[in-house]
Amino acid sequence: MSAGSLRPSAGSLRRTVHAEWTKLRTDAGHLWLLLGLVAVTAAVSAAAAATARCPTGGCGQDPVRLSLTGVTPGQTIAAIVAVLVVGHEYGTGLIHTTLAAVPRRTTVLAAKAAVVSGTVFAAGTVAVLASVLAGRSLLPGNGFTPAHGYAALSLTDGPTLRAAAGSVLYLVLVALLALGICTAVRDTAVAMGVVLGLLYLFPLLSHVVTDPGLRRHLAQIGPMPAGLAVQATTDLRHLPIGPWAGLGVLALWAAGALLVGGTVLRLRDA
């Protein structure tokens, strides 16, 4: 295929991304959700840092992971943002207009994925930075001091930077997972049920099963436990899966959901 034949497709994608961005930014509901993502993530993280205690040295807690606690509830809002991008159009019938304007359905899904990724990435970055700053401010007053073996949180520290950047990517991947699922099921409520069930199923099963090997395996393949491994900065050898490998597992879940959603979008009528 020549470079010239690729240009119309690239131009079409740019125009579709612009159209999707216009739809999202003119919907006040999405703006409030993104602000809610920042507020909930930062507030829960600050609360976790404010209530944590380390009265003696070697208290066995990971201060970075504590400071990023809010990412777990924040992921629900990220999923809602993504689900509404597709579910709202199916609920109102606007999807017919969208597909009439852009007949190539993979372009529509790619544009929605780009807009969702960009907005969640921006909101997630602010939320994670606020969480790290809250931890840096609050944890030393609760015993997480150099005297107890804990340096002040800093993004110049490699493991802390990896945990923070990985948490932002985690939120983006959860949003893409939700986008793919909603594109496949075409219903907002059902999609949110599937997304939350998929995220929390593996942690729940880990609390039910008694076999250590099976529990470890569930933590390795579950999108939430595997993905959140990227936040760990201590005792990495005892993790069921490595930080980046765990985020890779979540990326595979998101890619699989988008593949299924894209296939359904192409093969079924709107």
Side-chain angles (χ1 to χ4, degrees):
M1 183 178 291
S2 66
S5 64
L6 286 173
R7 289 194 190 99
S9 178
S12 175
L13 179 59
R14 284 193 298 270
R15 290 190 295 271
T16 308
V17 169
H18 179 73
E20 292 296 330
W21 165 241
T22 300
K23 284 189 285 186
L24 189 144
R25 70 181 176 83
T26 54
D27 185 346
H30 281 101
L31 175 60
W32 283 111
L33 282 170
L34 291 168
L35 291 175
L37 169 59
V38 175
V40 169
T41 302
V44 173
S45 295
T51 55
R53 294 291 182 270
C54 185
T56 60
C59 55
Q61 297 191 70
D62 186 336
V64 177
R65 199 162 198 170
L66 272 172
S67 299
L68 296 171
T69 301
V71 171
T72 300
Q75 70 181 341
T76 301
I77 303 178
I80 293 173
V81 170
V83 163
L84 289 179
V85 166
V86 175
H88 175 72
E89 291 201 19
Y90 276 104
T92 60
L94 181 61
I95 189 67
H96 298 288
T97 304
T98 298
L99 295 179
V102 187
R104 183 170 293 182
R105 299 186 175 195
T106 52
T107 300
V108 172
L109 182 57
K112 289 183 181 296
V115 170
V116 166
S117 298
T119 52
V120 172
F121 180 86
T125 298
V126 175
V128 167
L129 286 176
S131 298
V132 173
L133 288 174
R136 179 182 175 86
S137 175
L138 296 170
L139 287 175
N142 296 332
F144 291 87
T145 61
H148 290 166
Y150 295 101
L153 298 189
S154 173
L155 292 178
T156 60
D157 175 61
T160 303
L161 179 60
R162 182 255 300 154
S167 293
V168 176
L169 293 176
Y170 176 87
L171 291 170
V172 172
L173 290 171
V174 167
L176 291 176
L177 173 69
L179 181 71
I181 289 175
C182 192
T183 305
V185 303
R186 303 183 173 193
D187 183 272
T188 301
V190 173
M192 278 307 304
V194 174
V195 171
L196 293 178
L198 187 60
L199 289 173
Y200 287 95
L201 173 64
F202 291 90
L204 288 174
L205 288 177
S206 296
H207 285 89
V208 173
V209 300
T210 57
D211 180 74
L214 180 55
R215 189 183 299 119
R216 184 179 182 87
H217 187 58
L218 289 171
Q220 292 171 334
I221 64 173
M224 185 165 82
L228 287 177
V230 79
Q231 294 182 341
T233 61
T234 62
D235 295 325
L236 299 185
R237 290 179 299 174
H238 297 96
L239 290 176
I241 190 169
W244 289 120
L247 202 64
V249 169
L250 176 58
L252 289 175
W253 278 98
L258 287 171
L259 179 61
V260 172
T263 302
V264 171
L265 184 63
R266 284 192 300 107
L267 297 181
R268 285 177 55 186
D269 293 333

